[in-house]
């Protein structure tokens, strides 16, 4: 069994909120041609919803993207124009993602 040398080990820190915002913006940009005029770069998410997904996903990129995908699919099915914190909590709650995060 081989071990990883300490010099080759990479320690990753949890995402900061700006990292989460940039990740969501990049992923959303891949799926659309342009940001709708006058809207946020992370549209249809509000800034509060982004903070909620950031905390609910434990600041882990993979989990944040999974939760964002779940929320987007359900929001599209419900024909929501915008996703706020309450929408994200409600949608994730349906999938038994229990979070006690208070985003202010």
């Amino acid at each position: 069994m081989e071990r990883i040398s300490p010099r080759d080990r990479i320690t990753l820190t949890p995402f900061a909120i700006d990292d989460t915002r940039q990740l969501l913006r990049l992923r959303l940009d891949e799926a659309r041609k342009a940001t709708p005029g006058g809207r946020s770069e992370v549209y249809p998410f509000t800034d509060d919803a982004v903070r909620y997904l950031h905390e609910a996903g434990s600041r882990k990129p993979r989990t944040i993207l999974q939760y964002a995908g779940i929320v987007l699919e359900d929001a599209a099915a419900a024909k929501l124009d915008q996703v706020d914190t309450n929408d994200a909590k409600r949608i994730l709650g349906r999938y038994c993602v229990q979070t006690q995060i208070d985003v202010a």
Side-chain angles (χ1 to χ4, degrees), residues 37-93:
R39 306 246 179 160
S40 148
E41 292 179 330
V42 291
Y43 174 80
F45 296 112
T46 63
D47 285 336
D48 286 344
V50 171
R51 282 194 290 279
Y52 179 77
L53 290 169
H54 173 74
E55 292 299 329
S58 303
R59 302 176 183 200
K60 296 176 186 173
R62 179 183 306 195
T63 308
I64 292 166
L65 288 174
Q66 287 173 338
Y67 289 174
I70 290 168
V71 171
L72 277 177
E73 285 180 12
D74 279 27
K79 298 182 181 177
L80 296 178
D81 184 47
Q82 193 167 32
V83 177
D84 62 16
T85 303
N86 293 328
D87 296 324
K89 282 182 185 180
R90 180 177 40 77
I91 291 168
L92 290 177

Side-chain angles (χ1 to χ4, degrees), residues 8-61:
D8 294 330
R9 193 171 295 145
I10 298 172
T11 303
L12 299 175
T13 58
F15 259 26
I17 187 65
D18 290 336
D19 298 325
T20 296
R21 191 171 283 111
Q22 181 179 8
L23 175 65
L24 290 175
R25 181 185 57 78
L26 289 171
R27 291 299 175 100
L28 290 168
D29 282 350
E30 290 175 6
R32 62 180 173 217
K33 295 179 181 166
T35 301
R39 306 246 179 160
S40 148
E41 292 179 330
V42 291
Y43 174 80
F45 296 112
T46 63
D47 285 336
D48 286 344
V50 171
R51 282 194 290 279
Y52 179 77
L53 290 169
H54 173 74
E55 292 299 329
S58 303
R59 302 176 183 200
K60 296 176 186 173

